[in-house]
């Protein structure tokens, strides 16, 4: 069982006892500690992507987390866009256009990262017992648009995935350390 599975189990646990027989809090603690060592919002990424709404199957259950993640991610994309000089700003209109671009990239990248399934096969990679033609069997949908903005969206999707994987790796390492402590 990978860290994401353990985290999902912990978030949806109805028993958060922490004793020699119950370890549901271990993944939650590892996620929190991993956040302090990383970008600071890896647990939120995991929660929004994997856990929000799974217990009750209600979209509304995770809306506060999603709104918070969108705020944090938008600020991060704006920072990245400025650092990487996506837009050369020469006047006020350029500044407004840049801000609009950053926000579109943030929203589109987060939306695609959260649910980038192929609409034709619903993410299975198969359609009518054959490989899905639009996604070529990957199960991933295309990022719409073209050119510069599409490339920035793809970059930011990759960055989100990297942040999540790095967080999960840190947390899994801490979790392994916690299990060694419990076993000793």
């Amino acid at each position: 069982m990978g860290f994401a599975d353990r985290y999902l189990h912990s978030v949806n646990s109805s028993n958060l006892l922490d004793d020699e027989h119950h370890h549901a809090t271990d993944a939650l603690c590892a996620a929190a500690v991993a956040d302090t060592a990383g970008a600071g919002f890896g647990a939120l990424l995991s929660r929004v992507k994997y856990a929000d709404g799974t217990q009750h199957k209600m979209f509304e259950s995770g809306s506060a987390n999603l709104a918070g993640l969108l705020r944090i991610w938008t600020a991060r994309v704006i920072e990245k866009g400025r650092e990487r000089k996506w837009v050369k700003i020469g006047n006020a209109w350029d500044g407004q256009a840049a801000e609009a671009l950053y926000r579109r990239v943030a929203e589109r990248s987060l939306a695609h990262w959260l649910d980038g399934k192929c609409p034709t096969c619903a993410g299975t990679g198969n359609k009518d017992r054959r490989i899905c033609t639009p996604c070529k069997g990957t199960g991933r949908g295309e990022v719409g648009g073209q050119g510069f903005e599409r490339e920035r969206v793809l970059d930011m999707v990759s960055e989100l995935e990297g942040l999540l994987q790095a967080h999960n790796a840190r947390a899994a390492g801490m979790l392994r350390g916690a299990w060694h402590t419990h076993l000793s």
Side-chain angles (χ1 to χ4, degrees):
M1 179 184 307
F3 176 76
D5 294 325
R6 287 178 188 250
Y7 183 77
L8 180 61
H9 176 72
S10 293
V11 167
N12 290 322
S13 177
S14 62
N15 182 354
L16 292 178
L17 289 175
D18 187 23
D19 59 24
E20 64 273 359
H21 302 292
H22 301 93
H23 304 287
T25 58
D26 290 348
L28 298 174
C29 292
V33 173
D35 266 353
T36 62
F41 64 102
L44 184 58
L45 287 172
S46 290
R47 184 173 190 97
V48 170
K49 183 152 179 125
Y50 299 117
D52 276 353
T54 57
Q55 187 173 19
H56 301 291
K57 301 291 183 204
M58 292 178 7
F59 176 76
E60 294 83 14
S61 67
S63 60
N65 288 327
L66 179 57
L69 178 57
L70 180 58
R71 275 191 305 277
I72 292 167
W73 183 240
T74 300
R76 187 164 180 122
V77 170
I78 289 170
E79 179 184 316
K80 294 288 181 189
R82 288 176 181 160
E83 283 175 7
R84 297 173 184 175
K85 300 187 186 331
W86 289 351
V87 177
K88 183 178 178 183
I89 299 177
N91 56 42
W93 187 88
D94 291 340
Q96 291 172 344
E99 291 295 315
L101 170 70
Y102 302 150
R103 290 183 189 288
R104 281 193 315 272
V105 168
E107 291 168 4
R108 289 181 61 206
S109 62
L110 185 59
H112 185 77
W113 180 75
L114 286 171
D115 186 21
K117 295 177 190 158
C118 172
T120 304
C121 67
T124 64
N126 299 304
K127 180 76 172 159
D128 301 324
R129 297 186 190 163
R130 287 185 261 168
I131 292 178
C132 176
T133 306
C135 71
K136 298 173 183 70
T138 65
R140 298 292 295 167
E142 279 291 313
V143 172
Q146 55 187 339
F148 182 80
E149 186 172 326
R150 181 178 182 276
E151 292 302 317
R152 300 300 74 80
V153 169
L154 289 170
D155 287 346
M156 293 296 99
V157 168
S158 177
E159 183 137 344
L160 277 164
E161 190 59 30
L163 288 167
L164 178 68
Q165 294 302 323
H167 172 266
N168 286 355
R170 280 190 308 276
M174 292 171 190
L175 193 57
R176 278 190 302 277
W179 281 105
H180 291 295
T181 303
H182 283 296
L183 295 175
S184 299

